[in-house]
Amino acid sequence: QVQLVESGGGLVQPGESLRLSCVASGSITRIYDMGWYRQVPGKQRELVAVIFSDDSTNYTDSVKGRFTISRDNAKNTVYLQMNSLKPEDTAVYYCNVDLEWYYGGSIRALTYWGKGTLVTVSS
């Protein structure tokens, strides 16, 4: 099985920082892209940031200059450093990973989602 475990969410005041982590485990043979999405009630889940296998990155406009995505391939981990947090950043943040893993005698290429970690920014 493949498991994605997110951590680092919490309640902070505007202007403060948080660092989210997502660790992928299992019979993983290769990881391609890693990303962070967020969702608030009544709205569509949106892409926050993605980091590709060549370490290039994309960010949604609302977080550019404040958030930084990075990865540690040796640890199968993706991070999201969130600085200067705003109330509108409040959401459940989900880790997303495109990977290959060994199952049933073959390699399967799939997209996996974490269960989410809640980030609340409020004074």
Side-chain angles (χ1 to χ4, degrees), residues 65-123:
R66 299 188 297 119
F67 291 10
T68 302
I69 188 170
S70 61
R71 62 193 288 168
D72 186 335
N73 293 327
K75 298 181 179 180
N76 289 343
T77 301
V78 60
Y79 305 95
L80 185 67
Q81 178 66 45
M82 304 184 294
N83 297 328
S84 302
L85 283 163
K86 304 175 180 179
E88 51 263 42
D89 294 319
T90 296
V92 176
Y93 284 71
Y94 297 91
C95 174
N96 175 261
V97 179
D98 296 323
L99 55 79
E100 294 178 350
W101 64 297
Y102 186 82
Y103 177 76
S106 63
I107 296 175
R108 304 171 68 88
L110 295 169
T111 295
Y112 288 87
W113 292 90
K115 295 181 179 180
T117 184
L118 178 63
V119 172
T120 303
V121 185
S122 177
S123 59

Side-chain angles (χ1 to χ4, degrees), residues 49-63:
V50 61
I51 183 166
F52 302 98
S53 58
D54 65 354
D55 284 341
S56 62
T57 58
N58 284 333
Y59 298 90
T60 190
D61 288 341
S62 63
V63 308

Side-chain angles (χ1 to χ4, degrees), residues 3-49:
Q3 184 90 343
L4 268 53
V5 179
E6 300 124 321
S7 62
L11 193 157
V12 297
Q13 295 183 334
E16 295 183 340
S17 299
L18 283 174
R19 189 189 189 216
L20 305 183
S21 299
C22 174
V23 181
S25 62
S27 301
I28 299 169
T29 58
R30 185 174 181 179
I31 294 180
Y32 295 92
D33 310 326
M34 296 182 172
W36 288 95
Y37 292 71
R38 65 186 180 187
Q39 187 172 28
V40 298
K43 294 187 177 181
Q44 296 284 338
R45 186 175 299 184
E46 68 167 344
L47 175 68
V48 178

